[in-house]
Amino acid sequence: MGTLYYGDVATPIEIEDRALAHVKVVIATKLRRGESFTLSWTHGPHQEVGRSTVWLHPSIPLRFVFDESEPALLSRAWIEALANSANSSGGLLLVPEPDHPGD
């Protein structure tokens, strides 16, 4: 399970390593462009039922921590699906990996 630390929030955001690797690419791309946006996800099985959203801004510290020492192989289709959501008015939604991973 990977961890996303955002700002000075006391509770880090836990996201499965493979998903976090894909989210990182999309977040880094948008922040590099100076774009602010939201990130939304459904709470995991060991968390309180519900969903959360954070506002991501280039000036707020962000750190990605992965449990796996080797980087995940990235799926172009998943990155595109995440990027499309990030560019929408609803912001970046942690959507499941498409069945046809592609490259």
Side-chain angles (χ1 to χ4, degrees):
M1 183 65 64
T3 309
L4 175 64
Y5 294 90
Y6 184 65
D8 61 359
V9 176
T11 306
I13 302 164
E14 291 185 343
I15 301 174
E16 187 272 326
D17 264 22
R18 181 164 172 73
L20 185 58
H22 287 77
V23 166
K24 180 185 115 181
V25 170
V26 175
I27 290 174
T29 299
K30 291 194 65 72
L31 294 180
R32 188 178 318 113
R33 294 177 184 156
E35 300 174 11
S36 300
F37 58 101
T38 59
L39 166 64
S40 300
W41 67 95
T42 303
H43 296 169
H46 303 294
Q47 298 173 327
E48 201 173 306
V49 175
R51 59 188 169 83
S52 293
T53 299
V54 293
W55 178 253
L56 296 173
H57 187 275
S59 68
I60 299 173
L62 180 64
R63 182 168 57 114
F64 300 88
V65 177
F66 298 90
D67 282 344
E68 297 294 323
S69 60
E70 293 297 318
L73 293 176
L74 298 177
S75 159
R76 181 177 298 182
W78 199 3
I79 290 171
E80 288 174 0
L82 292 166
N84 287 338
S85 72
N87 292 325
S88 73
S89 60
L92 176 54
L93 301 173
L94 188 52
V95 297
E97 183 170 8
D99 289 334
H100 53 343
D103 180 21

